[in-house]
Amino acid sequence: MESLAFIEAIRQMSLELEREDVIYIHVTLLPFIYGSNELKSKPTQHSVKELQSFGIKPDILVCRSEQEMSAEMKSKIALFCNVKKECVIQNLTADNLYAVPLMLEKEGLATAVCKHLKLDNIEPNNKPWKDMIENIRKIGDESVKIAIVGKYVRLEDSYLSVAESLRHGGYANNINVEIKYIDSETVTEENASEILGDIDGIVVPGGFGNRGIKRKNKYNKICKRK
């Protein structure tokens, strides 16, 4: 229910603008059933049908998958979801999050987008990005362990930007960064040594409200003494 207002706004955009100035890209899941050793397209078909019931027709489908999509599967999805075959884009699970843009480029996403929007399909210079991915893949086994101490650690995505910043610092220094999330409300002077025993560095991100603040302050004092 909360998303319906956004879906309606998205629907109206194609009416208020020229159709060639609007593109709908739907990211969907192709589950792999190991028992039958096959990808299932039904969830994608149902989600497209649901979008169409709201007045939105996807122009491109980006299909998340653990396994390679066959040409037959792409043709099937294109037929039953009413999109062109070249607009069915495979998005395999990557070994690194930052390899995904290169993968989508190889699969032809940018070409499909430019064709729909009638834009010049200029070949991008992805060499710096490719070099970064190669450097990440060449990082050895050496690692450091960094603790993120906060009160929202039960939902790790709350500190996603902090965690990614730490990992980027590791990439720049050719070292892996292991992140340990610590609930600030559980830290005491008695258990701090045990919690910090294998930690190389600490980050205490910001938060809202008073909950957990006393523990954070106490934690900072403990860390300063150490």
Side-chain angles (χ1 to χ4, degrees):
M1 293 296 293
E2 293 178 353
S3 64
L4 289 180
F6 299 99
I7 291 175
E8 177 60 18
I10 291 169
R11 183 193 69 81
Q12 292 183 20
M13 287 185 65
S14 64
L15 300 176
E16 296 175 0
L17 303 173
E18 295 295 330
R19 188 62 184 90
E20 66 183 32
D21 292 333
V22 178
I23 186 168
Y24 293 127
I25 302 177
H26 181 39
V27 181
T28 182
L29 176 66
L30 288 181
F32 182 76
I33 308 301
Y34 286 92
S36 58
N37 198 35
E38 63 177 339
L39 291 167
K40 291 294 185 180
S41 64
K42 279 295 182 183
T44 296
Q45 294 178 44
H46 284 300
S47 63
V48 169
K49 183 179 179 181
E50 188 73 11
L51 275 178
Q52 289 175 337
S53 72
F54 291 121
I56 298 174
K57 178 187 176 300
D59 301 298
I60 296 176
L61 298 177
V62 176
C63 301
R64 282 285 293 111
S65 173
E66 295 286 342
Q67 304 291 332
E68 288 274 352
M69 292 175 62
S70 64
E72 291 77 13
M73 175 60 74
K74 287 188 176 182
S75 297
K76 179 181 178 181
I77 291 173
L79 177 63
F80 289 105
C81 294
N82 198 29
V83 298
K84 295 180 179 179
K85 184 177 178 180
E86 60 268 23
C87 293
V88 179
I89 307 297
Q90 176 178 257
N91 182 15
L92 282 171
T93 299
D95 62 335
N96 183 281
L97 173 65
Y98 301 101
V100 173
L102 295 177
M103 182 193 305
L104 293 177
E105 176 66 26
K106 183 179 178 181
E107 288 292 320
L109 177 60
T111 300
V113 170
C114 290
K115 184 177 180 179
H116 179 87
L117 298 177
K118 293 183 169 44
L119 299 173
D120 293 333
N121 187 19
I122 301 172
E123 184 175 354
N125 176 20
N126 289 324
K127 186 178 183 308
W129 198 271
K130 291 179 180 178
D131 291 342
M132 180 189 73
I133 298 300
E134 287 302 313
N135 289 336
I136 292 173
R137 288 171 175 162
K138 289 178 182 177
I139 295 176
D141 296 329
E142 186 180 1
S143 65
V144 295
K145 183 173 285 189
I146 306 297
I148 295 180
V149 186
K151 57 184 180 179
Y152 310 121
V153 294
R154 291 183 182 85
L155 181 62
E156 294 181 2
D157 278 2
S158 298
Y159 300 114
L160 184 60
S161 59
V162 178
E164 287 303 314
S165 296
L166 291 170
R167 293 190 181 100
H168 271 271
Y171 300 152
N173 290 278
N174 296 313
I175 194 168
N176 293 301
V177 176
E178 297 179 37
I179 297 174
K180 181 178 180 180
Y181 294 92
I182 298 175
D183 190 335
S184 62
E185 292 187 281
T186 65
V187 180
T188 65
E189 292 194 33
E190 290 74 24
N191 65 15
S193 296
E194 179 182 352
I195 294 175
L196 291 174
D198 59 346
I199 299 299
D200 298 301
I202 303 161
V203 175
V204 183
F208 301 93
N210 295 324
R211 182 172 64 83
I213 295 299
K214 289 183 179 180
R215 295 291 188 185
K216 279 190 178 185
N217 292 336
K218 184 177 291 187
Y219 196 73
N220 285 334
K221 291 177 182 178
I222 293 170
C223 295
K224 286 179 181 178
R225 289 205 299 269
K226 292 184 177 297

